[in-house]
Structures are given as C-alpha cells and as structure tokens.
Amino acid sequence: MQRGNQTSVSHFILVGLHHPPQLGVPLFLTFLVIYALTVSGNGLIILTVLVDTQLHRPMYWFLCHLSLLDMTISSAIVPKMLAGFLLDSRIISFGGCVIQLFTFHFLGCSECFLYTLMAYDRFLAICKPLHYATIMTRSVCNSLAIGTWLGGTLHSLFQTSFIFRLPFCGPNRVDYFFCDIPAMLRLACADTTINELITFVDIGFLALTCFVLILTSYGYIVAAILRIRSVDGRRNAFSTCAAHLTVVIVYYAPCTFIYLRPGSQEPLDGVVAVFYTVITPLLNPIIYTLRNKEMKATLWRLGGCKVVKPR
C-alpha cells in the first residue's frame, strides 16, 4: 500500500477489557480500589524509608526506586482504564498514545534493570559482606539508580520510534486497554515483520540477560546462605531473598508471555497484561513488607506513633 494513498490517524479508540455492560461499575470499583492501594502502599514504603534513618541503606534505597516505578507504571495505565469503565471515555489522541507507550516501556525497562541491580546488591551483601560498605557507597548507589532510568529511556526511545515510524491509516480501534507494542503493530498499514523481530530480539535479549544475571546472583547467594551456621541468620537471609525472587518471577512470567509473542492476537493477552500492569505493582509493597522484618518493625513504630494520644 502506498503511503500517498493513506490517511493519517489522529486518534485511537481503546477497546479495553472485554466484559458485559453490567460489569462496568463493579470493574471500575475493583480497579479503583486496587489503584488506590497500589499508590498508598508504595507511597507508604517510600515514606517509611525516608523517615527511618535505620533504613537508609542501599537495599531500601533501591526499594524506594521500585515503589516509585510501580506507582508511575500504574498511574500511566489505570486512570484511562477507569475512565473507560465508568464514562465510556475510550478515545486517546495519537500523541497521547505515543506518550503512553513510551512511558510504559521506559518505566518497565527501568524496573527490569532495577531488579537485576537489587539482586547484585543482595549478592554483595551476603557473599562479600566485608567489602559491601566500600563497594556500595552512596555515590555508587546513585549512579547505578540513574543508570537504570537512563537505560529505560534509551530502550523506550528505540522501541517507540520504531513503532510510530509505521503508517497508521485505519482502523483506529486498539483491541487492548492501553497503547502497547503488540496492539499497535496490528493496526499498522504496513508489513510489521521487521518490527516484530526487533521487539522479540530487543526485549527478549534484555529480559533474558537480566533474568540470567539475577539467577546467577541468587545461585551464589543460596550457596553462601547454606554455609551460614546460624539458623536465624539463614532464615533472615532466605526471607529477604525469597521476597525479591518472588517479585522477579511474578514480573517476568507475564512479560515474557506477551513480548516474546508480539504478533499474537490471543484474548488471554489482555488478562495477562492486567496482571503485570495492575496487580504486580500492588503485590510488590505487600511482599516486601510481609517478608521483611525491618520494614514491618518500622511500620509498626510509625503506626504506634500515630495512634498514641496524650491523656
């Protein structure tokens, strides 16, 4: 098809999740509660780490970054979804679609790098405890954190530019609840084989590399933990690492299902996407607070300070 015969699309219509009309309000309320809990839970983690000086350590500094990423990922997707449920407002401008896709992949890739960084931090803390303080200095932590955001920016710029260099001449109905690579490829008025290959190689390579690095770190960590003689020491180490590994698996499994099949049109894709865009950001604060004694102790102290009233 020649580009000169094509009419550019000025906006898209987000079809959203397929559901009976009578479920619109219940779904709106459900996702509204999830979104509120996600923002408040991750915000509470950030506040807790900032308030308690005992938590001013690299592990919790990276946890703050993770909470910030989770809040912003959810905020980039869920509000538009809620508007679709209640107000039937499903139109998104072309520019808004570009911004949404860029923002989601920028934050998602940054989170992927951050999980790898958190695994490396645990590797140093458990396997090289005598050198940990000299390696993980404040300046190093800041540089590594900035590196995750920079890497996410470059990745997202690359993916977004390759998607929206394609012609979009109609139809403009996005069979998804947000602008994402697989859904946008299906609307392009051109051959998307190269884009699908680039998506598979780029995201697949990044995800696989990060996942292998994480597993390698935890391989060394498990070996080191098994050498710890103290039962309490082994339990504390396993508890912290189990929380991180659980979050990693919950994050990587659905992402792999979606992005290693960029040409897929399965109805299940939308449900899986809800899991890593809506549910995972909610699970992260729950997992990290329930499995981390220091976080729980600090939260209890903060809660105690709030409820104590002078007589």
Side-chain angles (χ1 to χ4, degrees):
M1 184 178 293
Q2 297 296 323
R3 288 197 182 202
N5 296 330
Q6 295 170 358
T7 302
S8 298
V9 171
S10 61
H11 66 275
F12 296 99
I13 300 174
L14 298 174
V15 175
L17 297 176
H18 297 281
H19 64 278
Q22 61 269 24
L23 291 181
V25 173
L27 285 173
F28 169 82
L29 294 175
T30 300
F31 282 99
L32 178 62
V33 170
I34 292 175
Y35 179 60
L37 291 175
T38 298
V39 174
S40 58
N42 284 288
L44 184 61
I45 286 181
I46 295 174
L47 178 63
T48 301
V49 174
L50 291 178
V51 168
D52 192 347
T53 56
Q54 295 181 3
L55 300 180
H56 290 183
R57 304 201 301 273
M59 182 177 77
Y60 296 104
W61 170 243
F62 296 140
L63 182 57
C64 279
H65 279 266
L66 179 62
S67 294
L68 180 60
L69 287 171
D70 282 335
M71 283 196 299
T72 46
I73 284 178
S74 188
S75 297
I77 305 299
V78 178
K80 190 63 180 176
M81 182 194 298
L82 294 175
F85 284 135
L86 191 63
L87 306 175
D88 202 30
S89 175
R90 304 178 186 275
I91 296 177
I92 184 171
S93 66
F94 188 93
C97 190
V98 174
I99 293 172
Q100 189 180 57
L101 190 146
F102 170 82
T103 303
F104 175 73
H105 281 274
F106 155 60
L107 297 170
C109 184
S110 298
E111 189 160 324
C112 182
F113 290 144
L114 185 61
Y115 284 135
T116 309
L117 184 56
M118 293 173 75
Y120 176 66
D121 172 70
R122 291 299 83 206
F123 162 74
L124 290 178
I126 294 175
C127 298
K128 298 183 181 296
L130 298 180
H131 304 284
Y132 180 74
T134 57
I135 296 175
M136 275 294 181
T137 61
R138 183 182 295 271
S139 60
V140 170
C141 288
N142 291 336
S143 299
L144 291 173
I146 292 173
T148 63
W149 293 79
L150 180 60
T153 301
L154 294 176
H155 163 79
S156 188
L157 280 174
F158 175 73
Q159 285 291 342
T160 305
S161 62
F162 258 85
I163 291 295
F164 288 100
R165 64 184 285 273
L166 294 169
F168 292 91
C169 55
N172 65 343
R173 293 175 62 84
V174 181
D175 192 16
Y176 222 51
F177 58 94
F178 72 103
C179 294
D180 198 11
I181 292 174
M184 300 311 297
L185 288 179
R186 293 196 290 269
L187 297 181
C189 301
D191 183 15
T192 60
T193 304
I194 295 178
N195 291 80
E196 291 177 14
L197 180 62
I198 289 174
T199 299
F200 179 86
V201 173
D202 178 32
I203 298 181
F205 174 76
L206 285 177
L208 181 62
T209 301
C210 291
F211 194 60
V212 168
L213 290 174
I214 290 171
L215 291 182
T216 302
S217 297
Y218 277 98
Y220 283 105
I221 288 171
V222 169
I225 290 176
L226 293 177
R227 291 196 296 267
I228 298 176
R229 295 183 179 181
S230 168
V231 176
D232 289 336
R234 285 200 302 268
R235 184 184 300 113
N236 291 336
F238 268 123
S239 178
T240 301
C241 294
H244 181 208
L245 205 53
T246 301
V247 169
V248 168
I249 293 173
V250 168
Y251 179 79
Y252 272 94
C255 286
T256 301
F257 179 82
I258 294 293
Y259 294 109
L260 295 189
R261 303 156 49 251
S264 171
Q265 300 187 35
E266 294 290 335
L268 185 61
D269 291 353
V271 178
V272 175
V274 167
F275 197 85
Y276 66 79
T277 56
V278 180
I279 305 301
T280 301
L282 171 66
L283 293 178
N284 283 351
I286 297 174
I287 292 173
Y288 274 106
T289 52
L290 291 180
R291 299 299 300 269
N292 189 293
K293 292 183 178 180
E294 290 180 308
M295 286 293 298
K296 285 193 292 185
T298 302
L299 287 172
W300 277 112
R301 287 199 299 271
L302 290 177
C305 291
K306 291 180 180 179
V307 297
V308 172
K309 297 181 180 179
R311 296 182 178 178

